[in-house]
Each structure stands twice: as C-alpha cells, then as structure tokens.
Amino acid sequence: MSLEKQIKNEIEKGGCVVFIKGSYENATCKFSKSIIETLNQQGITCRYFDVLPNLEFKQALKNYSNWPTIPQLFINGKLIGGCDIASELASNGQLKNIFLNQNQNQK
C-alpha cells in the first residue's frame, strides 16, 4: 500500500488523529508536546502517530495535506492545522466545539 493510501486511510477513520514527532508519552519537539497538552486540556481523545521512524511517511503526509509542518491535527478527515492553530482554537473555545460537532455529525 502506498504511503499516501496509508495516510488517507488513517485520516478517514474519523475521530481525532494527530501526526507528531515522537510518541504521546515522549514527544520529541516542543510543538508536538504543546499540541498534546492542548488536546488533553480540552479533554479531546486522539490517535497519535509518530512520523519520525519513516521520513518518507513524514514527507508524504506534508504532500497529502499541503501543510508544511508537523504536528498536524485532523478531526474527522479534516485538517485543522498545527500547534499554533490548535492552541488558538482552544483558547477561544472553538477546538472542543469542532471536535464535538464533528463527532455528532458522524452518528
């Protein structure tokens, strides 16, 4: 299966998925750590995927999403953005609403 197909399949599973550097328990960059903290503070449960073991996967993700940086947050197949956007949406109350609204739309 191509990397693009793997990425698409994971994103299209729905729910919340975040592509980060490192693991949930051991994020290796401050932006990945920050997005994990933001999602935890919002009570949003996500699947986390480490892009570091496969640099080709990391590049394929950037190409797929047309987003140049990691982390990348997707909610129900839609790219929300990176760390700064997630933080901004959380601070103004929109991030949790996006998550809740998307989950209701899946039912």
Side-chain angles (χ1 to χ4, degrees):
M1 180 183 314
S2 73
L3 292 174
E4 183 175 302
K5 183 73 172 162
Q6 290 175 23
I7 292 165
K8 183 177 179 180
N9 286 345
E10 195 54 51
I11 291 170
E12 289 181 351
K13 283 182 185 176
C16 180
V17 61
V18 187
F19 296 92
I20 61 173
K21 293 179 181 175
S23 66
Y24 175 82
E25 297 82 12
N26 190 26
T28 59
C29 82
K30 66 181 181 179
F31 301 109
S32 292
K33 288 177 185 176
S34 179
I35 202 166
I36 291 168
E37 290 172 8
T38 297
L39 293 166
N40 284 340
Q41 289 167 356
Q42 295 291 302
I44 298 173
T45 303
C46 294
R47 298 182 319 278
Y48 293 89
F49 288 89
D50 183 0
V51 300
L52 291 179
N54 185 340
L55 295 180
E56 289 177 8
F57 181 92
K58 179 182 170 186
Q59 189 58 50
L61 174 64
K62 290 178 179 184
N63 293 343
Y64 176 87
S65 65
N66 198 28
W67 192 263
T69 59
I70 304 294
Q72 293 186 17
L73 168 65
F74 291 81
I75 297 179
N76 289 332
K78 180 180 177 193
L79 175 64
I80 303 302
C83 175
D84 293 342
I85 292 173
S87 180
E88 182 180 328
L89 290 171
S91 70
N92 65 27
Q94 291 180 301
L95 185 60
K96 190 155 192 163
N97 287 337
I98 291 168
F99 179 73
L100 293 173
N101 289 338
Q102 290 296 325
N103 280 343
Q104 288 175 351
N105 290 340
Q106 273 195 327
K107 294 179 181 177

